[in-house]
Amino acid sequence: MNTNYYAVIMAGGIGSRFWPVSTTAFPKQFHDMLGTGQSLLQKTFSRLNRLIPSQNIYVLTNERYLDLTLEQLPEINASQVVLEPAMRNTAPCILLSALKIKKENPDALMLVAPSDHWIEDEAAFIEDVQMGFDACQRQDILLTLGIQPTFPNTGYGYIESVEKAASPIKEVKQFREKPDYETAKQFIADGNFLWNAGIFLWSVKSIVKSFEQHMPKMHALFAEGIPSLNTEAESSFIAAKYANAENISIDYGIMENATNVFVKAASFDWNDLGTWGALYDKMTTESTENAVVRAIPHLKNTNGNMIYTASEKLVVVDGISDYIIVDKDEVLLIFPKKKEQDIKTLLQEVAQKFGETYT
């Protein structure tokens, strides 16, 4: 394995649209959402570990998930878990991890990937990453992997690439916000738009230089701590300074401003598993099917349901269609699938009425 290859797994989110399975104490990336025997985080780690040495894989997460991370990933040690003392979006934690890696290995190439995506064809994923690393080694570029749209999705941001480029790695024209349905249809008709999956590759030199250019204030804040990075003094520096960083995503802070941004269309299948509906889509091919995780189903006159139980349990359903049915510990959720985006709001209502007991 190439010791210059590094990866950073983003594992700090709460995944509130997957309530009641995903909770603040135990978010979705630590759950086996598809009943495969591995959590989403473990699946992501093992995929990256096919190309990247385990000692070079870092996990970015919140302080409260340190024990959970180390328990699920015995291949890494505590120094590879970069803990955020405050939620500050993706730019600060990516800069911090880039500075840590650059200090250890100035020739490092770095991949950043979310912990909760589902990728079936891991061999194709590794080929894309290898091609990306090769390109980032040759040139001073910031590369993102975009997903070929399969329908006019209004829930994702899009990446517009320059139209006439022979290379599979194309220059990015611009990043586009989540569109309305008509605009999304136009994007797909144009043919040079990809979904933004939030998977990035670059050399540590290139990304640190980009922060110096486009976010000098944030770069100065963290550069002050370079002497303490990868030492015992690191945690006290982060505790003192991290919360002062601007709350901004890597997309807004860097990718939309830099002039050396490129995209490669992913050759692997992809699902961001952001909602119960996304999990349903991943598990079914026909809209009439019921998707079932762990439950022992006895179903009549019922179709299009997402049924999930925390343990193997007989679930009898008759006459209900297009619902999310989730049984977990002290919570039973029966909720229309078409209202899945409202689960975030529902969670707030539950928290207001019952406190933190169920959230």
Side-chain angles (χ1 to χ4, degrees):
M1 280 189 187
N2 191 322
T3 53
N4 286 343
Y5 292 171
Y6 286 74
V8 171
I9 301 173
M10 313 282 284
I14 293 165
S16 51
R17 285 175 300 178
F18 264 115
W19 185 80
V21 168
S22 188
T23 61
T24 306
F26 205 113
K28 70 167 177 176
Q29 59 270 26
F30 299 105
H31 286 278
D32 174 9
M33 294 303 299
L34 287 108
T36 61
Q38 277 189 309
S39 72
L40 294 175
L41 174 64
Q42 289 169 324
K43 205 83 178 130
T44 302
F45 181 91
S46 64
R47 185 188 315 127
L48 296 172
N49 204 194
R50 292 171 65 149
L51 184 66
I52 298 163
S54 49
Q55 70 271 19
N56 289 1
I57 301 177
Y58 289 73
V59 178
L60 292 176
T61 191
N62 194 278
E63 286 174 331
R64 67 177 78 146
Y65 308 133
L66 173 63
D67 292 347
L68 209 43
T69 302
L70 292 174
E71 188 186 310
Q72 291 205 354
L73 300 177
E75 305 91 335
I76 68 172
N77 60 51
S79 68
Q80 289 164 258
V81 186
V82 182
L83 300 173
E84 304 166 82
M87 295 282 202
R88 285 293 178 273
N89 217 314
T90 51
C93 55
I94 287 174
L95 173 58
L96 175 63
S97 51
L99 289 170
K100 277 172 66 63
I101 293 167
K102 186 169 182 257
K103 186 178 177 185
E104 183 185 303
N105 181 352
D107 298 321
L109 297 159
M110 169 181 167
L111 173 142
V112 177
S115 58
D116 53 0
H117 288 180
W118 185 262
I119 292 167
E120 199 89 43
D121 190 346
E122 298 196 342
F125 171 80
I126 293 301
E127 275 180 34
D128 282 358
V129 171
Q130 184 66 67
M131 186 189 283
F133 275 156
D134 291 345
C136 294
Q137 190 160 25
R138 285 193 307 267
Q139 298 162 272
D140 171 21
I141 63 170
L142 307 178
L143 179 66
T144 181
L145 297 181
I147 309 298
Q148 204 71 58
T150 48
F151 66 101
N153 193 315
T154 57
Y156 300 142
Y158 285 70
I159 303 163
E160 182 183 1
S161 63
V162 295
E163 285 167 57
K164 290 178 178 138
S167 164
I169 293 176
K170 302 180 192 310
E171 196 175 339
V172 169
K173 201 169 175 182
Q174 61 181 327
F175 284 80
R176 304 289 287 265
E177 296 297 319
K178 294 174 183 176
D180 58 32
Y181 186 69
E182 288 307 313
T183 310
K185 278 203 319 199
Q186 188 56 54
F187 286 173
I188 289 184
D190 288 350
N192 59 319
F193 285 81
L194 299 167
W195 287 337
N196 183 358
I199 303 170
F200 306 105
L201 297 105
W202 40 56
S203 68
V204 285
K205 286 175 183 160
S206 290
I207 190 63
V208 170
K209 190 168 85 176
S210 287
F211 271 98
E212 280 183 79
Q213 287 174 336
H214 303 291
M215 303 195 73
K217 208 170 161 187
M218 189 181 287
H219 180 266
L221 175 73
F222 285 106
E224 213 181 290
I226 289 172
S228 65
L229 296 182
N230 307 335
T231 73
E232 284 180 4
E234 181 183 307
S235 55
S236 53
F237 168 76
I238 292 172
K241 299 289 185 180
Y242 196 89
N244 300 338
E246 189 183 347
N247 187 342
I248 187 169
S249 71
I250 191 77
D251 295 78
Y252 277 125
I254 301 294
M255 304 303 278
E256 293 187 9
N257 299 309
T259 54
N260 59 335
V261 179
F262 286 74
V263 64
K264 181 193 182 304
S267 53
F268 51 86
D269 57 321
W270 173 89
N271 191 311
D272 82 328
L273 292 188
T275 62
W276 286 112
L279 182 60
Y280 173 85
D281 292 341
K282 163 73 196 82
M283 299 187 70
T284 56
T285 51
E286 299 289 327
S287 60
T288 53
E289 283 181 81
N290 295 290
V292 178
V293 176
R294 258 179 238 99
I296 301 159
H298 181 68
L299 311 175
K300 287 183 177 178
N301 311 315
T302 179
N303 55 58
N305 294 304
M306 176 70 237
I307 301 166
Y308 182 107
T309 55
S311 57
E312 283 195 13
K313 163 182 289 197
L314 176 65
V315 175
V316 180
V317 182
D318 190 343
I320 291 180
S321 294
D322 299 314
Y323 265 72
I324 297 162
I325 300 167
V326 181
D327 178 75
K328 181 189 172 258
D329 306 330
E330 307 86 32
V331 180
L332 172 64
L333 175 75
I334 302 169
F335 201 77
K337 205 165 69 190
K338 66 179 181 204
K339 288 175 68 180
E340 62 168 15
Q341 296 295 343
D342 298 347
I343 289 179
K344 258 188 171 177
T345 317
L346 172 68
L347 183 56
Q348 290 164 359
E349 290 168 18
V350 170
Q352 278 170 359
K353 190 167 182 182
F354 301 103
E356 291 180 9
T357 313
Y358 304 110
T359 61

